[in-house]
Amino acid sequence: MNSLIAFLFSNLVIFLIFATIAAFDGGNETDYQALLKFKSIIRNEEALSSWNTSFHLCDWSGVICGKRHRRVTALLLKSQGLEGSLSPHVGNLSFLHLISLTNNSLQGTIPHELGRLSRLRFLYLGSNKFNGVIPTNMSHCSNLEDLRLNNNNLVGSIPKGIGFLSKLTYFLFEYNKLTGGIPPGLGNLTSIELFNAATNPLGGNIPHTLGHWKSLTTLYLGLCSLSGTIPHSIFNLSLLTELSFRDNQLTGSLPSALDEMLPHLRYFQLQDNQLTGSLPPSISNCSKLEFLEVRGNGFNGKLRIDFSKLKDIYQINIDDNTYGFGEADDMKFIDTLRNCSRLKRLDLRNCRFKGVLPTSIGNLSDNLSFFIIQENEFYGNLPSSIGNLFGLTGLGLSRNRFTGKSPPPLLILSGPIPDAIGNLSLFITLTISSNRLEGHIPSSLGNCHRLLELRLYENKLSGGIPRQLLQLSSLTIALDFSQNNLSGSLPTEVGQLKMLTYLDMPNNNLSGEIPSSLGGCTSLSFLYLKGNLFQGTIPSSLTSMRGVSTLDLSHNNLSGQIPGFLERFILLEYLDLSFNDFEGQVPMLGVFANASAFSILGNSKLCGGLAELGLPKCNETWKHKRRFPLFIIVIMIASTLFTTICFVYVWCKKSNGQPSCNDVNFQNNFFHF
Ligand SMILES: *[C@@H]1O[C@H](CO)[C@@H](O)[C@H](O)[C@H]1NC(C)=O
Ligand SMILES: *[C@@H]1O[C@H](CO)[C@@H](O)[C@H](O)[C@H]1NC(C)=O
Ligand SMILES: *[C@@H]1O[C@H](CO)[C@@H](O)[C@H](O)[C@H]1NC(C)=O
Ligand SMILES: *[C@@H]1O[C@H](CO)[C@@H](O)[C@H](O)[C@H]1NC(C)=O
Ligand SMILES: *[C@@H]1O[C@H](CO)[C@@H](O)[C@H](O)[C@H]1NC(C)=O
Ligand SMILES: *[C@@H]1O[C@H](CO)[C@@H](O)[C@H](O)[C@H]1NC(C)=O
Ligand SMILES: *[C@@H]1O[C@H](CO)[C@@H](O)[C@H](O)[C@H]1NC(C)=O
Ligand SMILES: *[C@@H]1O[C@H](CO)[C@@H](O)[C@H](O)[C@H]1NC(C)=O
Ligand SMILES: *[C@@H]1O[C@H](CO)[C@@H](O)[C@H](O)[C@H]1NC(C)=O
Ligand SMILES: *[C@@H]1O[C@H](CO)[C@@H](O)[C@H](O)[C@H]1NC(C)=O
Ligand SMILES: *[C@@H]1O[C@H](CO)[C@@H](O)[C@H](O)[C@H]1NC(C)=O
Ligand SMILES: *[C@@H]1O[C@H](CO)[C@@H](O)[C@H](O)[C@H]1NC(C)=O
């Protein structure tokens, strides 16, 4: 009996050994051939240089084998710079459970043969250049859990059979060119947790069968050309934390009990659709919400969200909707934002809000860096509590500029700009335009050392331009004070704005001469000083403003000659000197060669220039005068040189014998030259 057992046992052992060897040899040979084929159509081989006969294939870089059977179970070749295409022979690596080729430059189609990989659980082909379709055969990979095809050039439609992949948990194919809608059969993916189809021109409706995805936490369907309504079954997916439908043509409204339906919601993005109805007040109870973006829809009705429980919220974009009713408590919701200490961005632009800006804006988060409230109909004063928002980097408060039929708003901001605005030292941009602000421009703005642009156009601001403001070397984009009642001269500090591109001060009461320091603004492309009371000549220092493309000095009292250096400004596209008191010859080169590129109307003492101008011929004196400055310069240089030489000569003579002059042998070298 014992011997029989021993015999059987030894036979079994021998059988197992043979079986193993057989499996071993046959197996590694198949894998070996498949890997060689894989390598053979990869164009740059550096990453696969270890794939040679010196090593067992299980030691090739990026190749992982099973411990016992030594068959290839994983290909890990992420970010290896691989070019070429993906060999169909990969379909013979039948033990594979993971393929990662993310972030390479593979092109061509995804081979059908991958459908043979019944053990495959993870397939990562994202961030390549694959084109063609998603193979219908993928539906045979019944163990697939994670399929990532994002950022390729895939076309065609989502294979219906994908719905059979009952273990599929993550399916990502954002940034492709898939069309043909979302197949309703995908509703069978009952294990799915994350579905990202964003940025594919899928088209069609959102199937209500997606309401079967009970495990779903993340759904991205932005930029998918979807239309119709959001099926209510979606709001039944109570585990959802991230939901994005941005940039589609979705219609309909949101359910009122959003808080009970999606209690875990953190990220909610609906921007740029055609949704209507009210933003459900129950959002007040979605206490985990961090990101709310509903801009660009037709949401209406009074905004009744109480944000006080939303302690983690960091971004609120409710702009471009129509909540405003002109009632006194339109802006009451601002009070409820006090506890939202992570709030970084609050965008309320173009919502038809009316009323006074509540002083409680001063209690908003220190983290608030963007507060965009322009194109509403606020009236009354700008509360000085705005100076408490230390984190602000930008503030936009321009009035609606209605272009079409709608009437302009009647109510606008008035009163002074609070001095406290200078506390906001992180400001990068400040725009308060087209209102009725009055009083002075606060010199405290000179504390905003990061300011890139300041636009206060179309108000009733008076007084002078604060010098402190012109010392902000950070101003590089724009300084726009046009259409106010500013007076006094343009301070000489203006020349310190060396990096400024756009200087716009037309239609004020600025007077005095144009400071010659203005020539220090060597980066200016646009200079508008039209419609002021400037007098005197155009300073010759402006010759250094070579980059200027538009120069408007019209409607002032400027006199003297038109400087010849303007002819040499090759970037100058438009020059307006009209309605001043210039005299003498109009130049003919550069911008002056094209009669439509400049205007000199309303200057009665000009002569010469293009024949089209119809001006009288110039007297000889004007022609002489033009050369005069050059002559002066030559004389000045010559006399300076002469004085220096005399000085050095006298000095060296005096200190004769001392080393300073002899050492450099100054006399000899210099005078022989
Ligand atoms: C297959 O495995 C055997 C045993 O380890 C080895 O001798 C042989 O070289 C392998 N073949 C390939 C192609 O790696
Ligand atoms: C195989 O690759 C290794 C590493 O790249 C290299 O050192 C070795 O010389 C190669 N062997 C052969 C036979 O090409
Ligand atoms: C993608 O791969 C390249 C190397 O080919 C690497 O430099 C880059 O950092 C990778 N990008 C990511 C996001 O991993
Ligand atoms: C895969 O293996 C089979 C044999 O098992 C072989 O005939 C075929 O050429 C291999 N390659 C592909 C792509 O099927
Ligand atoms: C598609 O998958 C089936 C089942 O795995 C397989 O028999 C067939 O060869 C595959 N088709 C191609 C073109 O590889
Ligand atoms: C989805 O499941 C239903 C019922 O189990 C079945 O009839 C249908 O064929 C399945 N569709 C897909 C695409 O899996
Ligand atoms: C939401 O779920 C409930 C219970 O699971 C179900 O009775 C109801 O029909 C579902 N509603 C939708 C619109 O799917
Ligand atoms: C928030 O939830 C509480 C408790 O469930 C409820 O009484 C209240 O009406 C809800 N608030 C809103 C605005 O829906
Ligand atoms: C802010 O939170 C405190 C408790 O942390 C609470 O008492 C207070 O009412 C909240 N304020 C607002 C405006 O909701
Ligand atoms: C700013 O936000 C961070 C978290 O993002 C938080 O830890 C910090 O307390 C906030 N600061 C203020 C002043 O609320
Ligand atoms: C700011 O909050 C404090 C309490 O933290 C409150 O006393 C004060 O009235 C609030 N200010 C405004 C303008 O709402
Ligand atoms: C040219 O000179 C004459 C006489 O000197 C003077 O009357 C006339 O105004 C001058 N014309 C111009 C355009 O300066």
Side-chain angles (χ1 to χ4, degrees), residues 189-236:
L189 295 172
T190 47
S191 302
I192 197 100
E193 291 174 18
L194 188 160
F195 185 84
N196 190 344
T199 321
N200 279 283
L202 284 170
N205 297 347
I206 302 173
H208 69 89
T209 52
L210 304 196
H212 298 144
W213 291 354
K214 294 294 179 201
S215 309
L216 195 71
T217 63
T218 308
L219 179 60
Y220 283 101
L221 292 176
L223 287 143
C224 287
S225 307
L226 299 170
S227 52
T229 60
I230 304 173
H232 275 231
S233 60
I234 296 286
F235 299 105
N236 243 2

Side-chain angles (χ1 to χ4, degrees), residues 46 48-55:
E46 301 93 73
L48 308 182
S49 62
S50 66
W51 291 30
N52 64 34
T53 49
S54 301
F55 303 108

Side-chain angles (χ1 to χ4, degrees), residues 377-518:
E377 295 173 29
F378 299 121
Y379 53 89
N381 291 5
L382 187 58
S384 62
S385 61
I386 199 153
N388 298 349
L389 300 177
F390 299 109
L392 274 196
T393 56
L395 178 66
L397 247 178
S398 56
R399 179 157 57 103
N400 240 346
R401 284 184 180 240
F402 285 87
T403 46
K405 295 143 228 158
S406 30
L410 297 171
L411 306 168
I412 47 183
L413 289 174
S414 52
I417 302 177
D419 278 333
I421 209 151
N423 296 348
L424 305 178
S425 56
L426 299 181
F427 258 152
I428 294 172
T429 128
L430 174 62
T431 301
I432 313 180
S433 58
S434 310
N435 282 285
R436 206 176 289 145
L437 295 171
E438 56 208 21
H440 293 215
I441 298 175
S443 57
S444 61
L445 278 172
N447 298 330
C448 303
H449 289 288
R450 299 187 181 189
L451 207 54
L452 301 177
E453 65 180 319
L454 174 61
R455 300 180 198 261
L456 301 172
Y457 57 88
E458 285 185 35
N459 281 293
K460 293 191 174 307
L461 297 166
S462 56
I465 297 172
R467 290 167 197 278
Q468 294 86 337
L469 205 47
L470 302 178
Q471 288 164 333
L472 286 176
S473 54
S474 57
L475 281 169
T476 52
I477 300 179
L479 191 59
D480 186 348
F481 295 153
S482 58
Q483 321 264 25
N484 279 289
N485 299 325
L486 298 174
S487 56
S489 59
L490 185 57
T492 54
E493 285 80 356
V494 72
Q496 298 181 25
L497 300 172
K498 296 199 187 327
M499 303 303 289
L500 189 68
T501 313
Y502 187 99
L503 181 64
D504 200 1
M505 312 258 166
N507 302 330
N508 280 288
N509 298 319
L510 298 172
S511 57
E513 302 212 336
I514 296 176
S516 66
S517 63
L518 188 59

Side-chain angles (χ1 to χ4, degrees), residues 605-607 616-619 621-622:
K605 299 182 205 151
L606 290 172
C607 62
K617 281 219 170 81
C618 285
N619 288 354
T621 44
W622 291 124

Side-chain angles (χ1 to χ4, degrees), residues 88-89 92 116:
H89 288 74
N92 275 5
R116 297 187 185 171

Side-chain angles (χ1 to χ4, degrees), residues 295-307:
R295 68 172 301 268
N297 280 285
F299 288 119
N300 50 41
K302 194 169 196 160
L303 191 71
R304 291 181 200 275
I305 299 176
D306 177 345
F307 291 93

Side-chain angles (χ1 to χ4, degrees), residues 24-25 27-30 32-33 55-58 60 70:
F24 208 97
D25 271 324
N28 72 1
E29 193 53 33
T30 310
Y32 181 73
Q33 291 305 331
F55 303 108
H56 187 272
L57 65 89
C58 293
W60 292 356
R70 305 287 280 165

Side-chain angles (χ1 to χ4, degrees), residues 621-657:
T621 44
W622 291 124
K623 289 175 184 169
H624 261 294
K625 271 193 178 173
R626 284 203 62 213
R627 307 247 171 247
F628 196 55
L630 188 63
F631 180 57
I632 292 252
I633 289 169
V634 170
I635 288 186
M636 276 170 63
I637 292 174
S639 63
T640 314
L641 258 176
F642 183 71
T643 326
T644 316
I645 289 166
C646 289
F647 176 77
V648 168
Y649 181 73
V650 169
W651 180 63
C652 284
K653 272 220 128 150
K654 257 182 150 180
S655 58
N656 210 4

